[in-house]
Amino acid sequence: MIKKALAIIPCIALAVCVWAADAPQGAVASTPVETCFESARIFESAGNDTKAAEGYIYILANYPDDKQAAVQAFQKLKALYLKALSSPARAGAPDPGAFFAAIKNMYGNYKTEGRYQTAITVINYLNKIHETPDYYNDLGNIYLYGLNDANKAIGCFKKALVLGVNDYKTYTDLGLAYELAGDLNKAAGSYNYAATISPADSWVMYGLERVKGIKLARQKQIIRDWYFIGPFSENHVDEEFEEAMVSDTDAGKMHMTQQGIERHWQRPYGYGDYGYVNLNSVFQPATFADGYALTHIYASEAREVLFKVGSDDGIVIWLNGRNVWDNQAKRPAIPDNDSIKASLNKGWNTVLVKITQGWGGWGFYFRVTAPDAQVIPDLVFDPVKNTDRAVLITARYAKERMVGNVKQILRNLGLFVLVAVLMALIAINIRTGLAIRRMRRDFIAGFTHDLRIPLASIMGSAELLIDGEIKDPAKRASYYRTIASEARRLNRYISMILDASRNKKRAVPYLFTTVDLVDIIKRSIGIYEEETPSTGLKIHFDTDVAKAPVNGNEEALMQVFINLFSNADKYSPRDKNITVTVRRIDNTVAVAVKDRGIGIGAREQKSVFTRFYRAETAVKNKISGIGLGLASAKSIVEAHKGALQLKSEPEKGSTFTVSLPLAGKKNEAGSQEVSDDRQKDRPKNTDRRG
């Protein structure tokens, strides 16, 4: 009997809470919020912590103005949450996993209902109790898809990455947020970085498809300049409404929604805009709605073409009033997901598109190619049907085709040279049998990975500057700085490979001068912090001397420390705190670079300075590289009459120590005299954050 009574208590309590919230004023002695409190207490006393937590969340979500109630409900929720967090799963005991799943389901329902601010309120309370990557990911998705706030979405995804290291799905979401914000370089970087972590994941592969969309947009193939009208609720778009929309494509005409709201065609983009069309940016963000896009295509002759499209959820296309495509599948937008055969008339052709919105993204890709998928450069897209402009563009086609052929020849030449250099290096350094095949594979993978990101940044920035799309002088300067920075990065990388290709018995022809090693280290830290894509990197710098003069080559020594920072960064997937210390020991200066990463076993420590050697831990953890960084660093240090040493333990981190002789002059006794800067102008420790 007792068990049966306890079983019906939750049902009675929930009914009382809902009834009290809807009851007429004065019908009950207590207020609705007090009745909800009582219901939650009944659940809690019955041992149903999950339902009790849902009650307290209901109060926080639905009575935000009652500050006293919010404080009490939060304290109660916090106690239940921490109790579940510390309770191990046991047979016959309540499942803590069910508790947290119910909480996520509750704010997830608010999100589905379109109550985005309510869902955000609940998640913020939960983060006050216990911050998790999941909560920040869910927040980021609400800002990204529900509220169309790219900057807040970016902040949430970055916080999730700080809490959960190297989550490839979060990097993909971050790429989507950067894309919404218009920062296509960072978007592509996030998508590509996710692929280095888990290349086979479906969400990561979707991000790589978005990279293709970015590249196509930069090639001016994805059409973004349309007239738009909407949103219209799904139950409003009936057959009669749609027939009127298709038969009369006058962009000056107004349409009325079911709620009596006037909708007018609008053109938010211009001739120079290309890329994915995000309708959440065109209209107010909406759920379960339809929007329409209208443009015109000018063809110098009748021709067969392919419409290549991709859409979030359903898409319908009409060409010259005739339906040519109708796909209502719910899916993420991927460039060229659908390929539709179409016939263009000579002169102007009208294209009308309807895009359906569910939860999530709302937009589409659209481009036109020849049947063999080749670009058709003399097609003109123009929402306003400007015939003079269309004729002028088609007349310039011959000149543009000639320039394009020259550019293609240059690209092919550059690719040929790169492949030739690559194969030459492989022939020099790889020896026999199975080792040749394995090392060739690893070298190509690491080489292309390390070149891809700086090359993509240089090409993307250069193309934007060449096309004249960047008018703001400050933005142009930013793109020039990006090109210069990435070029320096490539130069260091190529220098490292060339050094490795030289005969190791022959001295490297460095030009030595007296340089300050402390200053070199500081600048190396700054360069690496600026170039690294890592999240959460912290470089701590400590020195007991203001200056450390050594006889050396500045660029070569900078390469040593950047290589060591990169090595510490890559092999520290969880804790990215790197400590750099400078100490004077007699007539030498010792620089230690210490990380808290995965470490190196004693058996492999002698081999890590061998060219092209890849440690088992690197292969096991899928860490990119070609095995030249440490070998190059050791070669440079020894050329400076110094030494590079390693101390490491698995799972405890590694310390690489560079020892170099201090520069000075000999005294009458023939011994070295070196100035001591330890007691004067000693700098304070600095904490460099990446």
Side-chain angles (χ1 to χ4, degrees):
M1 291 295 292
I2 294 174
K3 290 183 178 180
K4 290 182 178 179
L6 288 175
I8 66 171
I9 283 175
C11 300
I12 296 172
L14 181 59
V16 169
C17 183
V18 173
W19 171 79
D22 296 333
Q25 187 173 4
V28 291
S30 60
T31 65
V33 69
E34 289 172 345
T35 305
C36 289
F37 259 117
E38 187 60 30
S39 301
R41 292 190 188 101
I42 292 173
F43 286 130
E44 192 171 354
S45 63
N48 194 337
D49 289 355
T50 299
K51 286 295 182 185
E54 288 179 349
Y56 296 129
I57 289 175
Y58 181 87
I59 294 169
L60 292 170
N62 293 282
Y63 300 99
D65 295 331
D66 191 333
K67 303 302 182 184
Q68 182 177 359
V71 171
Q72 294 175 359
F74 176 70
Q75 293 302 325
K76 288 286 189 179
L77 175 63
K78 181 178 180 180
L80 293 174
Y81 190 108
L82 295 178
K83 175 183 174 183
L85 197 63
S86 61
S87 299
R90 298 191 303 271
D95 181 12
F99 176 90
F100 298 115
I103 288 177
K104 285 178 66 70
N105 185 61
M106 195 164 185
Y107 69 71
N109 288 337
Y110 291 137
K111 179 185 73 174
T112 303
E113 294 166 3
R115 297 175 60 186
Y116 303 131
Q117 291 298 342
T118 301
I120 289 171
T121 297
V122 173
I123 298 174
N124 285 336
Y125 274 119
L126 294 172
N127 272 326
K128 288 181 181 179
I129 300 172
H130 180 224
E131 289 185 321
T132 71
D134 281 350
Y135 292 154
Y136 280 103
N137 277 325
D138 289 341
L139 268 180
N141 277 284
I142 292 173
Y143 283 120
L144 178 62
Y145 296 119
L147 297 176
N148 203 48
D149 191 329
N151 290 328
K152 287 187 178 179
I154 290 169
C156 290
F157 292 137
K158 284 186 173 181
K159 182 67 174 180
L161 288 171
V162 171
L163 297 173
V165 176
N166 274 2
D167 181 58
Y168 50 88
K169 292 184 178 180
T170 305
Y171 273 109
T172 302
D173 289 336
L174 180 59
L176 290 168
Y178 276 131
E179 198 172 343
L180 175 62
D183 196 333
L184 300 185
N185 284 335
K186 288 186 177 179
S190 293
Y191 293 140
N192 286 324
Y193 191 75
T196 66
I197 303 170
S198 182
D201 180 80
S202 59
W203 192 236
V204 172
M205 294 173 70
Y206 168 61
L208 294 178
E209 293 293 335
R210 303 285 297 200
V211 174
K212 292 181 182 178
I214 292 172
K215 291 179 179 178
L216 289 171
R218 287 173 173 162
Q219 295 166 8
K220 301 183 179 181
Q221 294 190 45
I222 304 294
I223 307 306
R224 200 178 198 182
D225 184 18
W226 303 70
Y227 272 118
F228 300 97
I229 192 168
F232 300 97
S233 61
E234 285 185 330
N235 57 5
H236 176 63
V237 180
D238 55 19
E239 185 174 343
E240 181 180 353
F241 177 90
E242 200 148 87
E243 286 180 357
M245 185 71 71
V246 173
S247 62
D248 186 359
T249 55
D250 180 7
K253 185 175 180 179
M254 177 270 294
H255 292 268
M256 193 78 71
T257 70
Q258 193 176 35
Q259 295 78 23
I261 302 173
E262 293 184 357
R263 298 294 193 207
H264 297 270
W265 290 97
Q266 55 178 308
R267 186 187 176 199
Y269 303 113
Y271 290 135
D273 293 315
Y274 299 89
Y276 171 75
V277 176
N278 184 354
L279 292 179
N280 277 325
S281 295
V282 176
F283 309 129
Q284 287 293 325
T287 304
F288 305 114
D290 293 316
Y292 292 85
L294 171 68
T295 195
H296 306 280
I297 304 175
Y298 182 87
S300 58
E301 59 183 4
R303 64 196 314 160
E304 299 300 311
V305 298
L306 292 178
F307 287 175
K308 295 201 168 186
V309 301
S311 64
D312 291 294
D313 298 337
I315 185 169
V316 185
I317 303 175
W318 294 268
L319 173 61
N320 296 325
R322 184 174 65 87
N323 181 272
V324 295
W325 189 247
D326 188 341
N327 187 346
Q328 295 303 314
K330 295 186 179 299
R331 60 190 183 171
I334 294 176
D336 300 351
N337 206 19
D338 301 327
S339 187
I340 307 115
K341 293 181 180 180
S343 300
L344 296 181
N345 301 325
K346 181 178 180 179
W348 287 108
N349 298 265
T350 300
V351 179
L352 180 69
V353 178
K354 181 180 79 172
I355 309 93
T356 300
Q357 158 75 333
W359 160 255
W362 188 17
F364 66 99
Y365 294 95
F366 184 96
R367 71 183 182 116
V368 180
T369 71
D372 61 356
Q374 295 299 310
V375 176
I376 309 175
D378 60 342
L379 288 183
V380 180
F381 298 83
D382 194 334
V384 299
K385 295 176 67 172
N386 186 332
T387 302
D388 291 340
R389 173 178 175 268
V391 172
L392 180 63
I393 290 174
T394 53
R396 289 203 309 257
Y397 163 62
K399 179 180 178 181
E400 291 177 355
R401 181 174 58 180
M402 180 184 66
V403 173
N405 289 338
V406 172
K407 287 184 177 179
Q408 188 60 45
I409 292 172
L410 292 175
R411 290 192 188 100
N412 291 340
L413 179 61
L415 180 61
F416 173 79
V417 171
L418 179 62
V419 172
V421 171
L422 177 62
M423 296 307 296
L425 290 176
I426 292 173
I428 292 172
N429 293 290
I430 300 178
R431 304 226 178 149
T432 58
L434 294 174
I436 292 178
R437 289 194 293 271
R438 182 181 66 81
M439 293 180 71
R440 179 186 293 131
R441 182 193 65 229
D442 292 345
F443 182 86
I444 291 174
F447 184 87
T448 54
H449 174 273
D450 288 345
L451 284 182
R452 186 184 298 118
I453 293 177
L455 279 175
S457 294
I458 291 172
M459 291 177 66
S461 299
E463 287 174 1
L464 288 173
L465 292 168
I466 290 171
D467 292 338
E469 294 182 7
I470 309 303
K471 306 301 182 184
D472 184 359
K475 289 186 177 180
R476 289 176 64 86
S478 175
Y479 280 101
Y480 284 127
R481 285 194 297 272
T482 297
I483 292 173
S485 174
E486 296 298 338
R488 288 193 296 269
R489 183 177 174 185
L490 282 174
N491 183 58
R492 287 195 301 273
Y493 191 71
I494 292 170
S495 296
M496 181 176 66
I497 294 175
L498 291 176
D499 284 346
S501 69
R502 294 188 178 101
N503 188 329
K504 63 182 181 181
K505 294 181 179 179
R506 186 176 62 194
V508 180
Y510 294 121
L511 177 62
F512 282 20
T513 60
T514 301
V515 295
D516 180 14
L517 195 61
V518 173
D519 179 66
I520 288 174
I521 295 169
K522 289 180 179 178
R523 286 191 287 136
S524 300
I525 292 173
I527 291 171
Y528 187 76
E529 287 177 335
E530 181 180 355
E531 295 178 352
T532 180
S534 294
T535 302
L537 175 70
K538 298 179 181 178
I539 300 180
H540 309 273
F541 179 64
D542 177 41
T543 177
D544 68 349
V545 292
K547 295 182 179 180
V550 298
N551 290 323
N553 182 275
E554 181 175 283
E555 289 296 325
L557 291 174
M558 288 181 70
Q559 181 175 317
V560 168
F561 294 111
I562 290 174
N563 286 356
L564 294 179
F565 299 156
S566 175
N567 187 77
D569 185 6
K570 287 195 295 185
Y571 288 89
S572 302
R574 299 180 183 85
D575 186 347
K576 288 189 175 294
N577 281 283
I578 299 172
T579 303
V580 181
T581 59
V582 180
R583 295 290 183 267
R584 174 178 171 176
I585 304 173
D586 297 326
N587 289 338
T588 65
V589 58
V591 183
V593 178
K594 181 178 180 181
D595 64 60
R596 305 176 188 177
I598 58 179
I600 306 169
R603 183 172 59 87
E604 293 187 291
Q605 289 185 22
K606 292 183 179 179
S607 302
V608 296
F609 297 105
T610 303
R611 291 181 300 172
F612 304 107
Y613 180 81
R614 301 278 288 137
E616 291 179 2
T617 51
V619 177
K620 180 180 178 182
N621 289 276
K622 298 180 180 179
I623 298 172
S624 64
I626 59 174
L628 284 180
L630 293 178
S632 173
K634 185 176 179 65
S635 174
I636 294 171
V637 171
E638 290 178 348
H640 285 71
K641 302 188 184 302
L644 176 58
Q645 298 173 320
L646 164 65
K647 289 185 179 179
S648 182
E649 290 185 49
E651 304 305 324
K652 292 186 178 180
S654 303
T655 301
F656 289 85
T657 302
V658 176
S659 299
L660 294 171
L662 287 164
K665 59 182 181 179
K666 291 186 178 181
N667 57 24
E668 294 179 357
S671 61
Q672 192 86 3
E673 290 183 348
V674 181
S675 61
D676 192 340
D677 291 308
R678 286 177 291 183
Q679 302 303 322
K680 59 180 180 180
D681 301 325
R682 176 176 176 174
K684 297 181 180 179
N685 294 350
T686 59
D687 184 3
R688 305 289 298 238
R689 299 182 182 271

Coordinates of all heavy atoms in Angstrom, one line a residue, residues 148 180 224 226-231 266 268-269 276-286 289-293 311-312 314 353-357 360-364:
N148 N 20.2 33.7 -34.1 CA 21.0 34.3 -35.2 C 22.1 35.2 -34.6 O 22.4 36.2 -35.3 CB 20.2 34.9 -36.2 CG 20.8 35.0 -37.6 OD1 21.3 34.0 -38.0 ND2 20.8 36.2 -38.2
L180 N 28.7 32.5 -40.2 CA 27.5 33.4 -40.0 C 28.0 34.8 -39.7 O 27.5 35.8 -40.2 CB 26.6 32.9 -38.8 CG 25.5 33.8 -38.4 CD1 24.5 34.0 -39.6 CD2 24.7 33.3 -37.2
R224 N 24.5 34.7 -54.4 CA 23.9 35.2 -53.2 C 23.0 36.4 -53.4 O 22.2 36.8 -52.5 CB 25.1 35.6 -52.3 CG 24.7 35.7 -50.8 CD 25.9 36.1 -50.0 NE 25.7 35.8 -48.6 CZ 26.6 36.0 -47.6 NH1 27.8 36.6 -48.0 NH2 26.4 35.7 -46.4
W226 N 19.9 37.9 -54.6 CA 18.6 37.6 -54.9 C 17.6 38.6 -54.3 O 18.0 39.3 -53.4 CB 18.1 36.2 -54.3 CG 19.0 35.0 -54.7 CD1 20.2 34.7 -54.3 CD2 18.6 33.9 -55.5 NE1 20.7 33.5 -54.8 CE2 19.6 33.0 -55.6 CE3 17.4 33.6 -56.2 CZ2 19.6 31.8 -56.3 CZ3 17.3 32.4 -56.9 CH2 18.4 31.5 -57.0
Y227 N 16.4 38.6 -54.8 CA 15.3 39.3 -54.1 C 14.7 38.2 -53.2 O 14.6 37.0 -53.5 CB 14.2 39.7 -55.1 CG 14.4 41.1 -55.6 CD1 14.6 41.3 -57.0 CD2 14.4 42.2 -54.8 CE1 14.7 42.6 -57.5 CE2 14.6 43.5 -55.2 CZ 14.7 43.7 -56.6 OH 14.9 45.0 -57.1
F228 N 14.4 38.6 -51.9 CA 13.8 37.7 -51.0 C 12.5 38.2 -50.5 O 12.3 39.5 -50.3 CB 14.8 37.5 -49.8 CG 16.1 37.0 -50.1 CD1 17.2 37.8 -50.3 CD2 16.3 35.6 -50.3 CE1 18.4 37.3 -50.7 CE2 17.6 35.1 -50.7 CZ 18.6 36.0 -50.8
I229 N 11.6 37.3 -50.1 CA 10.3 37.7 -49.4 C 10.0 36.6 -48.4 O 10.1 35.4 -48.7 CB 9.2 37.9 -50.5 CG1 8.0 38.6 -49.8 CG2 8.8 36.6 -51.1 CD1 7.0 39.1 -50.8
G230 N 9.5 37.0 -47.2 CA 9.1 36.1 -46.2 C 9.4 36.7 -44.8 O 9.7 37.9 -44.7
P231 N 9.2 35.9 -43.8 CA 8.8 34.5 -43.8 C 7.3 34.3 -43.8 O 6.6 35.2 -43.4 CB 9.4 33.9 -42.5 CG 9.4 35.1 -41.6 CD 9.6 36.3 -42.4
Q266 N 12.8 42.1 -50.9 CA 13.9 42.9 -50.5 C 15.2 42.3 -51.1 O 15.3 41.1 -51.4 CB 14.0 42.9 -48.9 CG 14.1 41.5 -48.3 CD 14.3 41.6 -46.8 OE1 15.2 42.2 -46.3 NE2 13.4 40.9 -46.1
P268 N 18.9 42.4 -50.0 CA 20.0 42.8 -49.0 C 21.4 42.7 -49.5 O 22.3 43.2 -48.9 CB 19.7 41.8 -47.8 CG 19.1 40.6 -48.5 CD 18.3 41.1 -49.6
Y269 N 21.6 41.9 -50.6 CA 23.0 41.7 -51.1 C 23.1 42.5 -52.5 O 22.1 43.0 -53.0 CB 23.3 40.3 -51.3 CG 23.1 39.5 -50.0 CD1 22.1 38.5 -49.8 CD2 24.0 39.7 -48.9 CE1 22.0 37.8 -48.7 CE2 23.9 39.0 -47.7 CZ 22.9 38.0 -47.6 OH 22.7 37.4 -46.4
Y276 N 26.9 31.1 -49.5 CA 25.7 30.5 -48.8 C 24.7 31.6 -48.4 O 25.1 32.6 -47.8 CB 26.2 29.7 -47.6 CG 25.0 29.2 -46.7 CD1 24.2 28.1 -47.1 CD2 24.8 29.8 -45.5 CE1 23.2 27.6 -46.3 CE2 23.8 29.3 -44.7 CZ 23.0 28.2 -45.1 OH 22.0 27.8 -44.3
V277 N 23.5 31.4 -48.8 CA 22.4 32.4 -48.4 C 21.8 31.9 -47.0 O 21.2 30.9 -47.0 CB 21.3 32.4 -49.4 CG1 20.2 33.4 -49.0 CG2 21.9 32.9 -50.8
N278 N 22.1 32.7 -46.0 CA 21.5 32.4 -44.7 C 20.3 33.2 -44.5 O 20.3 34.4 -44.2 CB 22.6 32.8 -43.6 CG 22.1 32.4 -42.2 OD1 21.0 32.0 -42.0 ND2 23.0 32.6 -41.2
L279 N 19.1 32.6 -44.6 CA 17.8 33.3 -44.5 C 17.5 33.8 -43.1 O 16.7 34.7 -42.9 CB 16.7 32.4 -45.0 CG 16.7 32.1 -46.5 CD1 15.6 31.2 -46.9 CD2 16.7 33.4 -47.3
N280 N 18.2 33.2 -42.1 CA 18.0 33.7 -40.7 C 18.7 35.1 -40.6 O 18.3 35.8 -39.7 CB 18.7 32.8 -39.7 CG 17.8 31.6 -39.3 OD1 16.6 31.8 -39.3 ND2 18.4 30.5 -39.1
S281 N 19.6 35.5 -41.5 CA 20.1 36.8 -41.6 C 19.3 37.8 -42.4 O 19.3 39.0 -42.2 CB 21.6 36.8 -42.1 OG 22.4 36.1 -41.3
V282 N 18.6 37.2 -43.4 CA 17.7 38.0 -44.2 C 16.4 38.4 -43.5 O 16.0 39.5 -43.5 CB 17.4 37.3 -45.6 CG1 16.4 38.1 -46.4 CG2 18.7 37.0 -46.3
F283 N 15.8 37.4 -42.9 CA 14.5 37.6 -42.2 C 14.8 37.5 -40.7 O 15.9 37.1 -40.2 CB 13.5 36.5 -42.5 CG 13.3 36.3 -44.0 CD1 13.4 35.1 -44.6 CD2 13.0 37.4 -44.8 CE1 13.2 34.9 -45.9 CE2 12.8 37.2 -46.2 CZ 12.9 35.9 -46.8
Q284 N 13.7 37.9 -39.9 CA 13.8 37.6 -38.5 C 13.8 36.0 -38.3 O 13.1 35.3 -39.0 CB 12.6 38.1 -37.8 CG 12.6 39.6 -37.6 CD 13.7 40.1 -36.7 OE1 14.1 39.4 -35.7 NE2 14.3 41.2 -37.0
P285 N 14.7 35.5 -37.4 CA 14.8 34.0 -37.3 C 13.4 33.4 -37.0 O 12.6 33.9 -36.2 CB 15.7 33.8 -36.1 CG 16.5 35.0 -36.1 CD 15.7 36.2 -36.6
A286 N 13.0 32.4 -37.8 CA 11.7 31.8 -37.7 C 11.8 30.3 -37.7 O 12.8 29.7 -38.2 CB 10.8 32.3 -38.8
A289 N 8.7 27.7 -41.2 CA 8.3 28.7 -42.1 C 8.9 28.5 -43.5 O 9.7 27.7 -43.7 CB 8.7 30.1 -41.5
D290 N 8.3 29.3 -44.5 CA 8.8 29.3 -45.8 C 9.3 30.7 -46.2 O 8.8 31.7 -45.8 CB 7.8 28.8 -46.8 CG 7.3 27.4 -46.6 OD1 8.2 26.6 -46.4 OD2 6.1 27.1 -46.6
G291 N 10.3 30.7 -47.1 CA 10.8 32.0 -47.7 C 11.1 31.7 -49.2 O 11.3 30.6 -49.6
Y292 N 11.0 32.8 -49.9 CA 11.2 32.8 -51.4 C 12.4 33.6 -51.8 O 12.6 34.7 -51.2 CB 9.9 33.2 -52.1 CG 8.7 32.2 -52.0 CD1 7.9 32.4 -50.9 CD2 8.5 31.3 -52.9 CE1 6.8 31.5 -50.7 CE2 7.4 30.4 -52.8 CZ 6.6 30.5 -51.7 OH 5.5 29.7 -51.5
A293 N 13.1 33.2 -52.9 CA 14.2 33.9 -53.5 C 14.0 34.0 -55.0 O 13.5 33.0 -55.6 CB 15.5 33.2 -53.1
S311 N 20.4 22.6 -49.6 CA 19.5 23.4 -48.8 C 19.4 22.8 -47.4 O 19.6 21.6 -47.2 CB 18.1 23.5 -49.4 OG 17.5 22.3 -49.4
D312 N 19.1 23.7 -46.4 CA 18.7 23.2 -45.1 C 17.2 22.9 -45.2 O 16.4 23.8 -45.4 CB 18.9 24.3 -44.0 CG 20.4 24.6 -43.8 OD1 21.0 23.6 -43.2 OD2 20.9 25.6 -44.1
G314 N 13.7 21.5 -46.8 CA 13.1 21.4 -48.2 C 13.4 22.6 -49.1 O 13.6 23.7 -48.7
V353 N 12.9 30.3 -56.1 CA 13.2 29.2 -55.1 C 12.4 29.4 -53.9 O 12.3 30.5 -53.3 CB 14.7 29.2 -54.8 CG1 15.1 28.1 -53.8 CG2 15.6 29.1 -56.1
K354 N 11.9 28.3 -53.3 CA 11.2 28.3 -52.0 C 12.0 27.4 -51.1 O 12.4 26.3 -51.4 CB 9.8 27.7 -52.1 CG 9.1 27.8 -50.7 CD 7.6 27.2 -50.8 CE 7.6 25.7 -50.8 NZ 6.2 25.2 -50.7
I355 N 12.4 27.9 -49.9 CA 13.2 27.2 -48.9 C 12.3 27.1 -47.6 O 11.8 28.0 -47.1 CB 14.5 27.9 -48.6 CG1 15.2 28.2 -49.9 CG2 15.4 27.0 -47.7 CD1 14.9 29.6 -50.5
T356 N 12.2 25.8 -47.2 CA 11.4 25.5 -45.9 C 12.4 25.5 -44.7 O 13.5 25.0 -44.8 CB 10.7 24.2 -46.1 OG1 9.9 24.2 -47.2 CG2 9.9 23.8 -44.9
Q357 N 11.8 26.0 -43.6 CA 12.6 26.0 -42.4 C 12.0 25.1 -41.3 O 10.8 25.2 -41.0 CB 12.7 27.5 -41.8 CG 12.9 27.6 -40.3 CD 14.4 27.4 -40.0 OE1 15.1 26.7 -40.7 NE2 14.9 28.0 -38.9
G360 N 17.0 24.6 -36.8 CA 18.4 24.6 -37.2 C 18.7 25.7 -38.2 O 18.1 26.8 -38.2
G361 N 19.5 25.3 -39.2 CA 19.9 26.3 -40.3 C 18.7 26.6 -41.2 O 17.8 25.8 -41.3
W362 N 18.8 27.7 -41.9 CA 17.7 28.0 -42.9 C 18.4 28.8 -44.0 O 18.7 30.0 -43.9 CB 16.7 28.9 -42.2 CG 15.5 29.2 -43.1 CD1 15.1 28.4 -44.2 CD2 14.5 30.2 -43.0 NE1 14.0 28.9 -44.8 CE2 13.5 30.0 -44.0 CE3 14.3 31.2 -42.1 CZ2 12.4 30.8 -44.2 CZ3 13.2 32.0 -42.2 CH2 12.3 31.9 -43.3
G363 N 18.7 28.1 -45.1 CA 19.4 28.7 -46.2 C 19.7 27.7 -47.3 O 19.3 26.6 -47.2
F364 N 20.5 28.2 -48.3 CA 20.7 27.3 -49.4 C 22.0 27.8 -50.2 O 22.4 28.9 -50.1 CB 19.5 27.3 -50.4 CG 19.2 28.6 -51.0 CD1 19.6 28.9 -52.3 CD2 18.5 29.6 -50.4 CE1 19.3 30.1 -53.0 CE2 18.2 30.9 -51.0 CZ 18.6 31.1 -52.3

